[in-house]
Amino acid sequence: MPLQALIFDVDGTLADTERDGHRPAFNAAFRQAGLDWHWDEMLYGELLAVTGGKERIRHYLERDHRALLDQPGIDTRIAALHQAKTQAYLSLVASGALPLRPGVARLIAEARTAGLRLAIATTTTAENVAALLEHSLAPGAASWFEVIGAGDVVPAKKPAPDIYQWVLAKLGLPAAACLAFEDSDNGLRAARGAGLTTVVTTNAYTCRQTFHGACVVLPELGDDAATQPVTLKQIRAWHAAAQA
Ligand code: XBP
Ligand code: MG
């Protein structure tokens, strides 16, 4: 079956949003709430095992502040912290602090020219996706993506396949007609669980993970001729080989 759509993860795949965007945004929300919690780069790397911001805060409490979980209203407190975190993240994105990773804009442009359909499958909040596309890709770029599956649209977040299944259903395509881009083990498991051929581009948080079932694992898509940028022709060839 020929390739008809590309489905992109966002965090860690389109941009290094985890280290430079979400992490400082969580810390800003904690400070605003008068909490002395601070997630440094190493701790954040461990917390990334759990996807979803509200889920990650809860996981941190289970780990380091267990007693708080028994307090009345803790769910509301987590939700409020997460809302403040989203506002801090949106400000960071609007400041232009989160450039896209090498090759992302180039490959998306190539795919659009070729008439491929584009979609997003992410665990992050929908507002964050729209802001990143607008500020770091191009004004109006959110409209280039026919389907944006984000955040709480499905209850089970990655590594569950649900968000990819949701996106495939909205696209009206079988998995065999699509290819996913991911950066993490959790993301790969979600995409593979939905039956998708998956290209992994690693980052500092994920480069030591194992990527069983990935079609290919690369440090980046690349823009620099010396590093042989991944072209749409190459993507089509990987997709075809995976279907054979
Ligand atoms: C991304 C996530 C998200 C972000 C934070 O995972 O797990 O939770 O870290 O975003 P993936 P929110 O790249 O696999 O989709 O705070 O908006 O949830
Ligand atoms: Mg990711």
Side-chain angles (χ1 to χ4, degrees):
M1 186 173 289
L3 182 63
Q4 295 180 56
L6 303 181
I7 309 176
F8 290 87
D9 169 48
V10 175
D11 296 308
T13 300
L14 296 186
D16 266 324
T17 47
E18 293 294 11
R19 189 192 56 204
D20 305 332
H22 293 296
R23 187 187 65 84
F26 280 111
N27 286 330
F30 299 154
R31 274 197 307 278
Q32 279 167 33
L35 296 161
D36 65 354
W37 307 344
H38 179 80
W39 292 358
D40 63 23
E41 284 188 29
M42 191 188 273
L43 170 60
Y44 194 66
E46 291 167 25
L47 297 175
L48 279 174
V50 172
T51 62
K54 294 183 287 294
E55 293 81 353
R56 189 166 301 135
I57 295 171
R58 176 171 290 281
H59 171 61
Y60 171 67
L61 296 184
E62 277 162 6
R63 240 183 77 128
D64 289 3
H65 301 277
R66 254 215 102 74
L68 287 182
L69 284 172
D70 299 327
Q71 286 189 353
I74 189 65
D75 289 345
T76 312
R77 239 183 124 190
I78 290 175
L81 274 173
H82 188 250
Q83 261 177 24
K85 177 260 165 181
T86 299
Q87 291 313 311
Y89 180 84
L90 292 172
S91 301
L92 264 172
V93 172
S95 76
L98 294 166
L100 296 186
R101 296 190 61 194
V104 169
R106 175 188 53 76
L107 190 64
I108 287 172
E110 215 186 320
R112 291 184 75 216
T113 304
L116 279 188
R117 297 166 71 189
L118 299 174
I120 295 276
T122 178
T123 300
T124 201
T125 307
E127 294 161 88
N128 297 349
V129 183
L132 187 76
L133 295 173
E134 293 292 319
H135 291 283
S136 302
L137 182 52
S143 68
W144 302 352
F145 293 82
E146 202 178 313
V147 177
I148 297 186
D152 297 329
V153 72
V154 291
K157 294 188 174 171
K158 299 175 188 178
D162 303 36
I163 191 68
Y164 278 103
Q165 288 163 343
W166 188 91
V167 168
L168 288 171
K170 292 274 174 195
L171 284 170
L173 288 174
C178 306
L179 181 137
F181 294 86
E182 274 288 353
D183 69 301
S184 69
D185 168 53
N186 274 333
L188 174 66
R189 283 160 64 197
R192 294 294 297 145
L196 286 152
T197 300
T198 309
V199 170
V200 173
T201 49
T202 61
N203 56 52
Y205 276 132
T206 65
C207 59
R208 280 174 295 280
Q209 294 179 349
T210 51
F211 294 105
H212 182 70
C215 153
V216 61
V217 181
L218 306 162
E220 61 179 47
L221 295 173
D223 266 329
D224 175 1
T227 54
Q228 288 197 323
V230 174
T231 59
L232 189 56
K233 188 174 171 203
Q234 178 67 76
I235 293 288
R236 286 193 201 278
W238 282 329
H239 177 261
Q243 308 299 312

